[in-house]
Amino acid sequence: MGKQIRVGIAGLGNVGIGVVRVLSHNSDLLLSRAGRALTITAISAREKNRDRGVDLTKFDWHGNACDLARAENVDIVVELIGGDNGVAKDVVETAISNGKHVVTANKALIGHHGTNLAKAAELNKVVLAFEAAVAGGIPIVKALRDGLAANRVERLTGILNGTCNFILSNMAETGRPFAEILAEAKALGYAESDPTFDIDGIDTAHKLSILAALAFGTEVDFANVHVEGIRHISPIDIEFARELGYGIKLLGVAARVPDELGGGIEQRVHPCMVRKNAPINHVSGVFNGIEVIGDFVDTTIYEGRGAGQGPTASAVVADLVDIARGLRIPAFSLKATDLRPPNTIPMGRRVGAYYVRFMVVDRPGVFADIAAVLRDHDVSMESVLQRGRSRGERVSVVMTVHETREEAMQKGLQAIAALDSVVEPPSLIRIEDL
Ligand code: HSE
């Protein structure tokens, strides 16, 4: 057996305590797999004396997490503080510049600063690992970096936020509105008390930007990811989607755009309608699911728990084992200095099918007016549904349209919204062909 490797944990919330538990509970197994002991030597958190349900007395305590990142008796710093700036960033930078390996679950930090941190890690000859930052217990970082290394990835599609998937799955099962289910998700502890990052798609965008960098060998480009959340999804849309043979999911989509279509990488997060028998539509509740298409492997699918103490700690400890084994794989699979700007394409260039719901006054000629606007914008209708029949009253009209360019669709919708007979802003959901 080799010399022990010494671990310092900065941040003792749910995941930090999970890491302490895994390292203690599976110590024999980890010793035989890693070939050396993974020993916690130091810890740091905001409050020292809180009862966390595990014995922490044998570890050195640091009130200042940057001191832990400099400590002589630490080889790997595990950053579980969170946030894209502030203490978390200071700790990671301090660790790297002091020659310590870093394992983090911090998707915001990697989403915002991943490329620079990877460059710093390479310069200092240490590992930066972040399996736990994306999709909790699903080993998707290793799948992209190692298992699929032979492939040119064409497309990656993921349900990367358990809170949103819980809300949308429950809305579909019960027909209840978004706000009610969100309140329930908070009560169950699935949603944060401030769930903005989850429900507005930002958490998914952080994770997508990391996966896109791994998949396409590009710099992490969170700033240019198109992001929409799920607040506007209503039970009526879910019902119409069902009738049309679709489910609604919040997806992160990253895809290579062929050179003949202008080149670049699509990176977008928004609610999508997916065929009801598409594998990703069966990922429900708090689970995450990811589909990756590679040029030789074809379609691969991954599913599992995207959050929680056990799954996230499992991912953190897997990174610790890699480092203990001596694996020195670049953070984003290529040398950080070889990562190229992704040329993330603007949303207006997305080409695909759409679902649109209009609230209109029910009178003769309304369909004809809407159809005329779509014709003028070169948008081709596929199907039309109307619910209710009540002359002079408001009714819902739903359309699906064939593949079209987002720019044309948005312009068409603006013109339709201005028609007298249209009484609410149209609701648009993109249809993804999965
Ligand atoms: N808040 C995230 C989710 C989990 O709801 O999936 C941590 O990334």
Side-chain angles (χ1 to χ4, degrees):
M1 289 288 162
K3 195 167 136 229
Q4 67 168 355
I5 192 152
R6 300 161 305 172
V7 178
I9 303 176
L12 290 173
N14 199 27
V15 177
I17 295 306
V19 173
V20 175
R21 288 206 167 107
V22 176
L23 288 177
S24 145
H25 191 267
N26 283 349
S27 59
D28 291 349
L29 186 74
L30 292 166
L31 176 64
S32 55
R33 289 196 173 146
R36 56 204 287 207
L38 287 157
T39 309
I40 301 174
T41 48
I43 52 173
S44 172
R46 262 201 304 249
E47 278 174 72
K48 182 169 183 184
N49 294 321
R50 220 173 90 203
D51 179 9
R52 295 176 168 91
V54 286
D55 179 14
L56 302 171
T57 51
K58 49 188 189 300
F59 312 133
D60 288 356
W61 173 267
H62 294 276
N64 178 345
C66 284
D67 290 341
L68 176 145
R70 281 185 282 262
E72 284 291 326
N73 65 345
V74 169
D75 303 308
I76 310 177
V77 173
V78 177
E79 184 276 305
L80 301 171
I81 297 165
D84 64 341
N85 265 305
V87 185
K89 184 161 176 267
D90 292 345
V91 166
V92 169
E93 287 174 343
T94 305
I96 290 172
S97 61
N98 280 271
K100 322 276 188 202
H101 304 294
V102 171
V103 172
T104 178
N106 189 338
K107 61 254 170 171
L109 180 73
I110 301 299
H112 284 267
H113 306 293
T115 312
N116 285 339
L117 291 173
K119 284 181 183 164
E122 272 171 28
L123 211 60
N124 287 277
K125 300 191 168 35
V126 294
V127 172
L128 171 69
F130 42 79
E131 181 65 73
V134 185
I138 306 175
I140 188 63
V141 171
K142 293 189 208 314
L144 286 167
R145 201 189 59 191
D146 309 336
L148 300 177
N151 290 265
R152 176 179 293 270
V153 173
E154 302 297 347
R155 182 186 169 96
L156 178 154
T157 314
I159 294 173
L160 300 171
N161 185 273
T163 306
C164 287
N165 207 41
F166 173 85
I167 293 172
L168 291 173
S169 304
N170 264 267
M171 287 176 74
E173 276 160 29
T174 64
R176 288 189 296 142
F178 169 80
E180 239 178 63
I181 313 267
L182 173 61
E184 200 170 291
K186 281 190 197 173
L188 287 168
Y190 292 150
E192 310 281 340
S193 52
D194 177 3
T196 311
F197 270 33
D198 291 321
I199 61 182
D200 289 339
I202 298 157
D203 178 77
T204 300
H206 284 142
K207 295 166 179 169
L208 183 77
S209 65
I210 297 170
L211 294 183
L214 279 157
F216 302 113
T218 50
E219 293 172 356
V220 191
D221 190 25
F222 167 74
N224 288 310
V225 178
H226 175 89
V227 190
E228 293 172 29
I230 63 166
R231 289 180 200 259
H232 63 287
I233 299 297
S234 69
I236 188 170
D237 290 320
I238 291 180
E239 200 38 55
F240 273 122
R242 198 195 315 268
E243 205 166 315
L244 292 162
Y246 295 102
I248 298 181
K249 296 288 185 190
L250 181 75
L251 296 184
V253 179
R256 191 186 293 282
V257 177
D259 288 344
E260 54 276 23
L261 295 176
I265 306 288
E266 280 186 37
Q267 299 196 58
R268 50 192 168 86
V269 172
H270 50 73
C272 294
M273 284 182 29
V274 291
R275 271 182 307 106
K276 69 170 187 292
N277 55 354
I280 216 152
N281 192 45
H282 297 287
V283 177
S284 64
V286 292
F287 279 71
N288 284 193
I290 302 148
E291 181 180 295
V292 183
I293 303 175
D295 57 353
F296 280 85
V297 73
D298 205 342
T299 301
T300 57
I301 295 174
Y302 312 82
E303 182 178 352
R305 291 188 183 276
Q309 187 179 74
T312 313
S314 154
V316 168
V317 174
D319 281 342
L320 294 176
V321 170
D322 277 356
I323 295 170
R325 282 171 166 162
L327 285 179
R328 298 292 179 261
I329 301 171
F332 291 99
S333 194
L334 312 184
K335 266 183 73 189
T337 43
D338 288 347
L339 298 169
R340 292 286 157 249
N343 182 21
T344 301
I345 70 160
M347 192 60 187
R349 276 179 52 198
R350 184 243 176 197
V351 175
Y354 293 81
Y355 156 101
V356 204
R357 180 171 52 81
F358 304 103
M359 193 57 92
V360 300
V361 179
D362 188 15
R363 62 176 180 235
V366 173
F367 275 7
D369 291 346
I370 292 175
V373 174
L374 293 176
R375 177 203 59 211
D376 293 347
H377 289 82
D378 206 19
V379 175
S380 161
M381 283 171 17
E382 183 198 40
S383 68
V384 182
L385 281 176
Q386 177 179 334
R387 279 294 151 270
R389 173 77 182 90
S390 181
R391 209 176 167 92
E393 298 293 316
R394 293 153 58 109
V395 290
S396 289
V397 171
V398 157
M399 273 177 197
T400 56
V401 306
H402 290 295
E403 286 220 324
T404 192
R405 204 170 158 111
E406 173 98 10
E407 218 166 29
M409 193 68 215
Q410 294 290 358
K411 283 191 183 143
L413 287 191
Q414 269 176 24
I416 291 170
L419 295 172
D420 281 351
S421 46
V422 175
V423 293
E424 270 181 19
S427 153
L428 169 144
I429 304 177
R430 298 166 186 94
I431 299 174
E432 285 300 312
D433 185 17
L434 294 174

